[in-house]
Amino acid sequence: MSGQAPRSTKPDLTSDDRLAGRRRLLAASVGLAALLVVGRAVQLQGFEGAKWKAEAARQHETRVPLPARRGAIYDRDGVPLALTRETFAVSIATREIRDRDEAVRRLVRALGLTRAQARRATDRRDPWVDLPGRYTVEQRRKLGELRGVHVARKLERFYPQGAVGREVLGGVSGDGRALGGIEQAMDSLLSGEDGFSVMRRDARGRKEGSISLPAVPPRDGADVHLTLDFDLQEIADAALEEAVASTKAAGGDLLLADPKTGELLAAVSKRAGGVRDLSAFIEPYEPGSTIKPFFVATLLQNGRATLNDRVFAENGRWADPNGRVHTDVHAYDWLTLRDALRVSSNIAMAKLAPRLPAGEQYAGLRDFGFGTPTGVEYPVEASGRLPRPDRWSKMTAASLATGYEVSVTPVQMTLAYGALANGGDLMEPRLVREVRDAGGKTVERHAPRRVRRAVDPRIAAELRQVLVSVVEDGTASRASLATFEVAGKTGTARRTGADGRYEAGAYNATFVGFFPARDPQLVIYVKLDRPRGDYYGGLTAAPVTRATLQAILAARSPGLDRRVLLAARARADAPSPSGAAPAAEPALTGSEGTYVFESAQAPAKGVARRDPVPVPDLAGRSLREGARRLHALGFHVRVQGAGTVVSTRPAAGTVRARGDTISLIAEGR
């Protein structure tokens, strides 16, 4: 029919067909989802399994560091100078505590807290309390295990000898970082290697140990044994401190060394403000007259002069051909080279300087170690300055001959005098003797090392005799020990300021020498910076030398070979060619448990030997300090017993004349 719509040719979908379609779609979706799950599982298990396994372990395990014990530092005889002790920090999680009364009792009994402090520390209103201070291993043992009380092991550095030697040792910061000195120089050996333990964590994050989990034990640091002798270090420290105070100096340095080995037996530096750097290694200065023996040695070594050559000293003032004026403290006319060195004539040295070609003068000073680092075991060392000949001016040769236009460090000067003392060998300085691992096995031994032959032994012997005369009747007479011969040389040199120019009225006063002169066991170096009043080395540094040597001789264990000392005294006691008997001075005797020493101190110029002085009260002081106090007053000293001074004979307060003998009576050890 017209106007009627055509019938659709698509078949009608029954409900069963629609249901079947939905099933197929669902099955396909489930299959696709399963395929995705299986694929993801394959990815996680097959390709990322190790990663997620480690993450799971991380969530259930934690590493706890096990710090290594830092190695100890000892002196040459095993005296501890730096140690590490185990301590514990205690913290309290107050809301974890189940029995507050028991916690309070434990804190009071084990840690020494008052009951009020313990109750405040366990008050639940503050969820976490850190107890101040550190606690010992014994306190930790007494505390035991208590829920809510958390203990952390700490390793702390401490120095059992206090401030003595700290400029050598350096320090360690709170986070374990080495700060200067031997601590820094030997840090790689001292520090060891930290370990760790692995602990499980439960669902609440609480740690619990497990022996099934891996752990790496710490490797403790090695122990360092120094060449220092603590007795000598303590003596040197006290002597320099007293000298700096009495001269009102800005600071100073004092070194003691073994001339045969180069081992440093004591090294002390004092600076304003309590600075603890060892300036004896790091601060160069112009040495002045203490360098003259090496100029003379170079003249003799190269055949440019003999000790008997005569020089006209111009009666104390001379203008050289370059117009430079040279002066001497005292006026002299004709001097032999021997006497010129004994009286420290600047004019004689300047006049003799042209005899040495520049290359020979430079090489001579270089051979004694000037202008180059010594190699001492310290984090920082200055090399000083010795200009090459091609940089010299017309006045440099004369300046070098008198100790200017050259800068040296105290340790360089000490080793140079050591070469004169030992027969001509320049030794490398040693501050570390050996290193031992945590089990006590020696892993490093720093043996003495000769750098070079600096001067012929015959010339060294001749100069030793001249340096003895310097102390006996030259510029260093205040370093004299009478029948114990001391050899040495004084120096007084102007100081430069920050702008490089000389400061008006600012000087370094120095003495360097060795003892005993005939068979030296010690090289001693003393320098005072900017002493006020008398600033000459002979008036300030030389007396420090004498006081130091007297204290060393008075000490019970001074680190000297007494057989050598007695032999040296026997030679000195031999009748002189003139038949004059030697002055009676030190008497060394001894018996087990008792050491007796007598010494005399020559009175200072201008002080009458019989000038009366009250005997000081020295009860309770160490023998060393007591002897030093009496020596400073000009008394002879006799020490009987060992330990601490209990009395003097005559008694404290008794007036006695300088030069009298005072006995120190000691008991205990």
Side-chain angles (χ1 to χ4, degrees), residues 6 154 158 170 190 233 268 340 352 389 392 451 479 486 588 652:
K154 303 289 184 180
F158 76 106
L190 287 166
Q233 180 76 19
V268 183
L352 290 167
W392 288 16
V451 179
V486 179
L588 289 121

Side-chain angles (χ1 to χ4, degrees), residues 582-643:
E585 219 241 287
L588 289 121
T589 61
S591 62
E592 186 174 355
T594 301
Y595 174 67
V596 180
F597 172 76
E598 290 184 358
S599 70
Q601 173 172 305
K605 293 181 180 179
V607 177
R609 174 169 288 276
R610 309 306 297 175
D611 185 26
V613 179
V615 176
D617 183 2
L618 302 174
R621 297 180 182 271
S622 66
L623 278 175
R624 185 176 300 122
E625 185 178 0
R628 192 175 68 250
R629 288 280 304 278
L630 293 175
H631 287 147
L633 293 173
F635 290 120
H636 298 250
V637 178
R638 180 180 177 86
V639 176
Q640 294 181 312

